[in-house]
């Protein structure tokens, strides 16, 4: 039974990690988001991608491959080609792995990226056509009005304290006809529509990764796009496609929780800002398979 499975998982997590402390995190605070990514630089490289990707892989079959991490960049590539884009901006690039991949793929384009200081982004890049910057994507004032052909964000708008403000800034910097691409995870429904255990699991996954747990449904995000004046032209649900990535993380998390004494020691040494990721890895496959979360690609256009 799904309810019994979830209860067991929560009990296992609770035996190792301070769940209440994690649930009370100030997850939408930029300083806390930066701190989270800074503390987890090594963990992401060891457990997620040695090539610097900090997002899920999108698989075309039931087997995970390192190549799956490039799928998001390939989706962005479609817009770059379709628009013959010259100026592309990535919000919250993490370690800039996708920006670098695209910059090498399109050497005649200029790629801009902006991320919070003191996080995963070092500010240095390996491609000459990348222009990096530090800042908060709620304020894109360093970029001129109507200056970008494409703006994209991968698994990072979920950290925004005010999604509407970010999207209004994107609208301002986009050229007429420009594309805004968002690839991210969402709650499938509002928290009030679920059981107490499901709400705990959903909030625990979000808070473990410093994701805001308010205004986090896909419907709310779509309404933000519409209110900002962006027209949605394509949506694709990739929830099932990220399951191979999630199963991989679930297996790693299971090993962590099978050794509670060691797990508690590691948590004592590193802090739950690192080890709480195991809770997210342990719960995410359940949340996707039981329709608590969804993973969506959304393409919106600034109309002429």
């Amino acid at each position: 039974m799904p309810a019994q499975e979830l209860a067991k998982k929560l009990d296992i997590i609770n035996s190792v990690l301070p769940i209440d402390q994690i649930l009370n995190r100030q997850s939408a605070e930029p300083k806390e988001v930066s701190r989270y990514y800074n503390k987890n630089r090594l963990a992401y490289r060891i457990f997620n991608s040695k090539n610097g990707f900090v997002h899920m892989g999108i698989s075309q079959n039931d087997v995970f491959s390192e190549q799956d991490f490039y799928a998001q960049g390939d989706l962005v590539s479609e817009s770059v080609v379709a628009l013959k884009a010259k100026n592309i901006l990535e919000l919250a690039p993490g370690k800039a792995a996708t920006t670098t991949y695209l910059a090498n793929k399109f050497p005649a384009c200029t790629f801009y990226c902006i991320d919070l200081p003191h996080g995963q982004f070092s500010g240095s890049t390996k491609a000459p056509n990348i222009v990096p910057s530090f800042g908060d994507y709620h304020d894109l004032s360093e970029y001129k009005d109507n200056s970008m052909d494409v703006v994209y964000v991968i698994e990072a708008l979920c950290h925004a304290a005010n999604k509407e403000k970010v999207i209004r800034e994107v609208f301002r910097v986009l050229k007429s006809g420009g594309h805004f691409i968002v690839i991210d995870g969402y709650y499938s429904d509002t928290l009030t529509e679920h059981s107490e255990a499901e709400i705990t699991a959903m909030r625990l996954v979000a808070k473990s990764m410093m994701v805001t747990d308010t205004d986090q449904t896909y419907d709310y995000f779509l309404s933000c796009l519409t209110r900002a004046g962006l027209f949605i032209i394509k949506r694709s649900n990739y929830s099932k496609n990220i399951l191979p990535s999630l199963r991989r993380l679930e297996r790693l998390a299971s090993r962590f929780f099978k050794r509670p004494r060691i797990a508690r020691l590691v948590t004592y040494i590193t802090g739950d800002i690192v080890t709480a990721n195991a809770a997210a890895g342990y719960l995410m496959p359940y949340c996707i398979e039981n329709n608590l979360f969804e993973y969506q690609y959304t393409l919106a256009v600034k109309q002429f």
Side-chain angles (χ1 to χ4, degrees), residues 24-236:
N24 287 323
R25 285 178 174 177
Q26 299 299 311
S27 55
E29 294 292 329
K31 287 184 179 179
E32 290 303 310
V33 175
S34 289
R35 179 170 172 265
Y36 165 79
Y37 279 110
N38 182 280
K39 294 290 185 180
N40 282 282
R41 285 180 64 87
L42 181 60
Y44 270 99
R45 184 168 294 279
I46 293 172
F47 299 114
N48 198 62
S49 166
K50 61 184 179 182
N51 294 318
F53 294 100
V54 295
H55 55 250
M56 305 299 172
I58 296 177
S59 303
Q60 297 307 313
N61 51 50
D62 293 331
V63 180
F64 169 78
S65 165
E66 285 287 330
Q67 195 61 33
D68 297 341
F69 289 122
Y70 294 87
Q72 287 87 341
D74 290 336
L75 288 168
V76 175
S77 294
E78 293 175 5
S79 288
V80 175
V81 172
L83 298 179
K84 297 181 180 178
K86 294 298 182 185
N87 296 300
I88 300 100
L89 169 64
E90 180 175 11
L91 308 180
K95 295 177 181 176
T98 299
T99 297
T100 303
Y101 168 61
L102 291 171
N104 289 327
K105 189 174 183 179
F106 300 102
C109 300
T110 301
F111 286 84
Y112 301 84
C113 56
I114 182 170
D115 209 342
L116 292 169
H118 313 301
Q120 292 217 42
F121 187 44
S122 67
S124 62
T125 60
K126 296 180 180 179
N129 54 330
I130 295 177
V131 181
S133 180
F134 288 113
D136 185 335
Y137 58 20
H138 289 84
D139 178 8
L140 301 177
S141 56
E142 67 179 273
Y143 306 108
K144 295 180 180 178
D145 293 2
N146 309 305
S147 59
M148 298 294 167
D149 298 294
V150 176
V151 179
Y152 70 96
V153 55
I154 300 170
E155 294 184 27
L157 193 60
C158 55
H159 296 298
N162 188 333
K163 290 180 178 61
E164 286 204 69
K165 187 174 183 181
V166 178
I167 292 169
R168 287 196 302 269
E169 279 290 270
V170 169
F171 181 88
R172 180 185 62 78
V173 302
L174 272 178
K175 296 178 182 178
S176 293
H179 286 185
F180 181 37
I181 300 161
V182 183
I183 305 169
D184 215 337
Y186 307 87
Y187 292 161
S188 297
D189 302 294
T190 59
L191 290 173
T192 56
E193 299 179 52
H194 297 282
S195 69
E196 183 178 346
E198 288 173 337
I199 292 170
T200 298
M202 293 166 73
R203 293 190 65 233
L204 187 56
V205 170
K207 292 288 189 175
S208 293
M209 298 186 293
M210 289 296 174
V211 170
T212 178
D213 61 349
T214 58
D215 297 332
Q216 192 53 29
T217 66
Y218 189 51
D219 284 345
Y220 175 78
F221 163 67
L222 295 177
S223 71
C224 290
L225 292 175
T226 301
R227 285 194 294 272
L230 291 159
F231 182 71
I232 301 158
I233 58 175
K234 189 175 181 180
R235 296 164 48 181
S236 296

Side-chain angles (χ1 to χ4, degrees), residues 2 5 194 198 285-293:
E5 178 190 352
H194 297 282
E198 288 173 337
Y286 177 95
C287 290
I288 289 288
E289 291 181 326
N290 288 277
N291 301 313
L292 304 182
F293 289 164

Side-chain angles (χ1 to χ4, degrees), residues 12-22 204 208 256-257 263-264 267 271-272 274-280:
I12 289 171
I13 294 169
N14 197 39
S15 70
V16 172
L17 296 173
I19 286 184
D20 289 342
Q21 181 174 311
I22 296 167
L204 187 56
S208 293
F256 175 79
F257 288 116
R264 285 191 287 267
T267 301
D272 62 72
V274 175
T275 57
N277 285 305

